[in-house]
Amino acid sequence: MKTLVIIGAGCSAGLAGLPADTTFLRECQSDIEQAKFLHDAIRKLYGVMMTTFGTSWTGERLETCWNEIDENYNNSKLVMKSSDIDMWFADFVRLAKLESSHEFKYYSEYLYRDQISRTPNEYFFMFAGWELRKIVVKKFSAILSETSRAKYEKLIRKIRGLAEGELIDLISFNYDTLLEQVLENWCYVGFPSVGSIRNNKDKNCVIKPHGSVNWLHTSSEKIEPVHDPIPLDKIGYKNGKLIQHSIIGLVGNKFRHRDDDNVVYITYMKIMDSLEYAVSQAEQIIIIGYSFPLTDGHIKSVFIKGRPQKLKHIHVITKAQNNSELELLTEKISQLFQINRSLVEPYSKGVEQWVGE
C-alpha cells in the first residue's frame, strides 16, 4: 500500500521536546531578549505588559510573530519616532564594527555595501527577521539524545507496520532533521543531484516544503543539502554572497522572494511538484502533529490539486484539547482530501502515546 506520511511540529515536540508554534517564544525568551532588533521589534509589536505567561509577547505564536515582522518589513504599520531610529542605528553601527574580524558578516555588509535604498523601518524589521531566523535555526539544529532516538525508532517501526513494510513518501514541515537521523534508505527530492520523486522508486523520499537546517543556500547560486545542520558562525555574507540556511519563514506570502532569488523559487517549485505527486499516489495517509495552519494556503492548494484517487484511509495523530477541536481537524482533513469522514481515523493522545501502543 503506497503510504504518505505528513509530519508537523507536534511530532518533534512530542518525541524530542522541541518547541511547538504556541510555545516557541516562551521557550526561547532568553535568546530573544539578547537579540537587540528582534526584542525591540516584538516589544514594539506586542507591548511589554505582564500576563500569566510573563511579558505579553511570550504567549504569542511563532507563526503570528514571524508574520508581523515580515509584514512590517514589507509595509510597515508602525510609526517610529526619530529618537527610536537613532537608538537602533547606533546598535546597527556597533554590531557592524563587532564583525570586523569575522569570516562571515551581516550588519557590516548593509552598513557599508548595501546599494539598495531602504527606509529605517525596513532595515529594522529586516534585522529583526534575521535574528529570529537564527534563533529558529539554533533551536531546531538538534541532535537526537538516546531517549529521543528510541522514540523515533518506535515511530519508524509504527509507520512501517502500517505501510506493510513498503517504502514511504514523507512530507515534513519541520526544519529539524530528527526523523532523517533514524530513517534508513532515504533521499531528499527536488535537487539536481537526486531528481524528483517520480524517478526515485527505490528509496524513502523526504519532501520538506519549508526547508531544513541542513540545507545551504548561497544567494542567486544554489541550494544544496549537507549532512549536518549548518553552524550559525558559517552563515552571513562572504565575498559579497549571502550564505544562510534554506528555511521558509512561517509567513503568509512564502514565495514573494521569487523576484529576489530565482534559485529559491525554482528549487521550491520542484519540491512542491514532488509534494503534489506524492499526494496523488497515496493509498494511505498518516498525519502526525500537523494542524494545517492558515498561513499554509499554498500547501493546501497542492493537497487539493493532488487529488489522490486511490486513497483508502487516513490516520490522524494529534494532541487535541477537546472533542470539538478533534472534530474540526477531522472534518478539515476529510474535506481537503475528499474522503468519507468514516475513513479518517483520529488519535487524540499525541504521538508520544501513539508510538508506545
Side-chain angles (χ1 to χ4, degrees), residues 31-45 65 69 80 84-96 106-107 120-132 135:
D31 285 329
I32 291 170
E33 288 173 344
Q34 295 175 50
K36 179 60 184 173
F37 288 94
L38 175 59
H39 190 215
D40 283 356
I42 291 177
R43 284 163 59 93
K44 191 80 172 174
L45 290 167
C65 179
I69 290 171
M80 296 190 182
D84 288 338
I85 293 171
D86 291 343
M87 179 183 66
W88 295 326
F89 182 73
D91 286 313
F92 179 13
V93 173
R94 176 180 58 82
L95 290 168
Y106 186 75
Y107 302 98
N121 283 20
E122 287 175 323
Y123 277 116
F124 177 72
F125 282 104
M126 180 171 67
F127 295 156
W130 172 255
E131 291 174 346
L132 178 57
I135 292 172

Side-chain angles (χ1 to χ4, degrees), residues 195-207:
S196 74
I197 193 171
R198 300 172 195 269
N199 56 17
N200 278 279
K201 305 297 185 183
D202 58 347
K203 291 184 178 180
N204 297 297
C205 291
V206 178
I207 306 163

Side-chain angles (χ1 to χ4, degrees), residues 9 13 15 17 32 42 47 49 74 142-143 186 191 193 196 201 229 243 310 319 323 340 357:
L15 299 184
I32 291 170
I42 291 177
M49 73 283 283
N74 288 287
I143 303 300
W186 65 275
F191 297 94
S193 59
S196 74
K201 305 297 185 183
I243 299 169
K310 299 178 181 178
K319 185 172 279 188
N323 286 336
N340 190 287
E357 293 186 357

Side-chain angles (χ1 to χ4, degrees), residues 222-259:
K222 61 183 176 180
I223 296 174
E224 58 182 355
V226 296
H227 187 269
D228 296 315
I230 303 151
L232 287 173
D233 62 359
K234 295 298 181 184
I235 64 168
Y237 280 93
K238 184 177 180 181
N239 299 325
K241 292 286 186 181
L242 179 58
I243 299 169
Q244 60 182 331
H245 306 81
S246 187
I247 60 174
I248 301 296
L250 301 178
V251 298
N253 193 350
K254 290 182 171 65
F255 292 104
R256 178 171 40 240
H257 50 273
R258 109 169 44 191
D259 299 322

